[in-house]
Amino acid sequence: MSAYGEDAASNQLSDGATATVAWLSGERRGRTERLGDAAVRIEAAASGAFTIASATASGGDAGVATLQRVRGGCRLDARSKRRVWVDGVAVRAHLLRGGEVVEIENGPVFRFRLYPPGAEAAKSLGDVFTDCVDCARRDGRALWVKAPGLVRDVVRDLATQTSRWFRLGVLAAIAALAAATVYQFQHARDLEQRLAREQGRIQALGELLGRSGTEGLARGRPPTAAADTERRLSALEARSVALGNIIAAVSPSVVFIQGGFGFEDPASGRPLRMVLGPDGLPIEIPGGGPAVTLNGDGPVVEVNFTGTAFVVSTDGLLVTNRHVAMPWEHDPSVELVKALGLRPVMRRLVGYLADAGEPFELGLVGASDAADLALLSCQDVARLRTPLKLASAAPRPGDEVVVLGYPTGIRALLARAGERFVKALGERPDADFWGVAQALARSGLIRPLATRGIVGQVTGEAVVYDAETTSGGSGGPVLNLAGEVIAVNMAVIPRFGGSNIGVPVEHVRDLLNRPGVPGSR
């Protein structure tokens, strides 16, 4: 009998090919043997076991069957009264091809394989699984009993009966996986330690969350300050019938933006989460700020914000500010959190049309590097609302302008809704940042605010005007008295009489004409 581990030179058959037998049942189940002679016989021992011996060896009889090497395969001849099947078909003589399964009556089952001259007699990955599964199928025990043995056999064959290159590749893959696991573990541990050490930066995160929390509903306290702002803005709208017509025509195409961004570990992709106490509430660290972690199942940290955009093309493009589409840029508090090695990621960005009941998802198309502008996309908007017209000429100092947007975000919208709506909303369990906006929309209470003012200065980089607005109005259109966009509202000049800065409309054209933008020329 030829052992599996014998030298390859002694296992070559007549034409230089190598043949093997993989036992699928019986006492030798799971083993593979090479056929080292040109002719071998399968013998049944007195103990009931079956072995392979040289056909020229002395002693014994002709055996149960013989295997004679011939060109292109191996001839199988039955030599006893026992029946023999090849792939389920009864035979007395048969030319075996590689991969065929031989079954002997009241005896073992084996698979014959033939390897070309010079090829390594090693199993492929598919061969390993095929043989191990066939062995398990012929084991009469229950599945749960033989399952561990199947796993063990697969691992054993992969380690001993596959090619040297395959085994080296598996070892390399295991080493790479182990290295990556160790790196991620070390990286996560280092980040956790930094999170614990850098309390100042965690306090900055608390400031971010506190800032976004002002957009939610203050239960039991109607926003009276916002109501005063609303009354003042409404009075400004009512001064001119002409302005009222402009506002009525443009408002349906002005979009209220809601967004939320968080932070994640760039290496593992795991999000930054709140640490919850036994009461299910977020834990605060000494000195203020939330306790955060990259592990656990606490709520994902989300910084909420609002802004304004407007429809600018029939391709579903919206214009807004870059700092609305990417609110983490140039924010000192965000920079402190990023210094921990975390990166900001947008969790959700949606828009609401005036008097529409449901939000729609927004996607970032591109942003300008030269001006505070960005393009967002939503195909649904193009079918519902008319794009605003861009002015062909720049405004002049002294020109009257109208600014539309959503200054102070949800607070101003709640003020317009009235105390009865706010009180009823306060009883709802979903009255959070997202739920409040949806309730306002479904009640038809999302509409932009409008203010008017006078242009004070015009340059190639900015249009300065004194129309009243504030945070949340960023990204709204600045219109001339023909209802054309002359700028995009960008910033408020603090401590300077409510003056504001807009990005000139020429920069909007440049952004729309960039290669890759839908409809660009």
Side-chain angles (χ1 to χ4, degrees), residues 274-285:
M274 300 277 197
V275 178
L276 301 182
D279 56 359
L281 298 176
I283 296 176
E284 289 192 5
I285 61 175

Side-chain angles (χ1 to χ4, degrees), residues 26-256:
E27 188 179 76
R28 309 176 74 79
R29 184 179 67 87
R31 296 181 59 182
T32 298
E33 296 184 55
R34 293 182 182 178
L35 304 180
D37 295 320
V40 296
R41 65 174 181 261
I42 301 172
E43 296 180 341
S47 64
F50 285 77
T51 60
I52 293 177
S54 172
T56 60
S58 60
D61 53 23
V64 175
T66 60
L67 298 173
Q68 176 69 44
R69 181 71 176 93
V70 296
R71 183 165 297 280
C74 191
R75 181 182 174 85
L76 169 70
D77 290 293
R79 296 295 184 181
S80 71
K81 294 181 179 180
R82 295 175 186 257
R83 287 181 295 177
V84 178
W85 295 270
V86 176
D87 285 349
V89 178
V91 300
R92 295 301 296 174
H94 180 78
L95 179 62
L96 286 176
R97 304 292 185 182
E100 289 185 319
V101 176
V102 178
E103 182 177 357
I104 298 173
E105 183 180 9
N106 298 323
V109 180
F110 63 86
R111 176 175 279 110
F112 174 79
R113 285 196 174 91
L114 190 65
Y115 298 92
E120 183 179 2
K123 291 183 180 181
S124 67
L125 182 62
D127 291 343
V128 168
F129 280 98
T130 298
D131 288 352
C132 292
V133 169
D134 282 351
C135 286
R137 286 173 53 200
R138 289 173 169 82
D139 187 336
R141 296 177 297 173
L143 178 62
W144 65 272
V145 174
K146 61 186 179 184
L150 172 61
V151 175
R152 182 188 63 246
D153 291 346
V154 169
V155 173
R156 180 201 60 210
D157 281 12
L158 289 175
T160 62
Q161 298 188 23
T162 52
S163 68
R164 290 185 294 272
W165 289 113
F166 178 84
R167 281 174 274 173
L168 287 174
V170 170
L171 288 175
I174 292 174
L177 180 61
T181 302
V182 170
Y183 169 77
Q184 286 202 5
F185 174 79
Q186 184 67 38
H187 180 76
R189 188 179 67 175
D190 291 345
L191 263 178
E192 288 286 348
Q193 291 174 348
R194 291 186 67 188
L195 288 172
R197 280 197 312 269
E198 302 286 350
Q199 290 196 16
R201 293 188 174 97
I202 302 304
Q203 290 170 5
L205 180 60
E207 179 186 336
L208 277 171
L209 295 174
R211 189 191 313 165
S212 68
T214 60
E215 293 291 351
L217 177 63
R219 297 180 185 273
R221 294 193 304 166
T224 55
D228 293 340
T229 301
E230 162 64 11
R231 283 191 292 271
R232 184 171 66 254
L233 298 178
S234 297
L236 288 169
E237 290 182 17
R239 290 179 185 173
S240 169
V241 174
L243 289 179
N245 292 335
I246 294 174
I247 294 167
V250 173
S251 291
S253 299
V254 179
V255 178
F256 173 56

Side-chain angles (χ1 to χ4, degrees), residues 302-341:
E302 184 177 85
V303 182
N304 300 134
F305 63 94
T306 61
T308 306
F310 58 92
V311 183
V312 74
S313 81
T314 56
D315 298 300
L317 294 179
L318 311 180
V319 169
T320 188
N321 291 135
R322 180 185 176 110
H323 75 261
V324 173
M326 293 178 283
W328 48 80
E329 290 190 339
H330 312 302
D331 188 316
S333 296
V334 174
E335 293 302 319
L336 288 172
V337 179
K338 286 169 62 178
L340 292 169

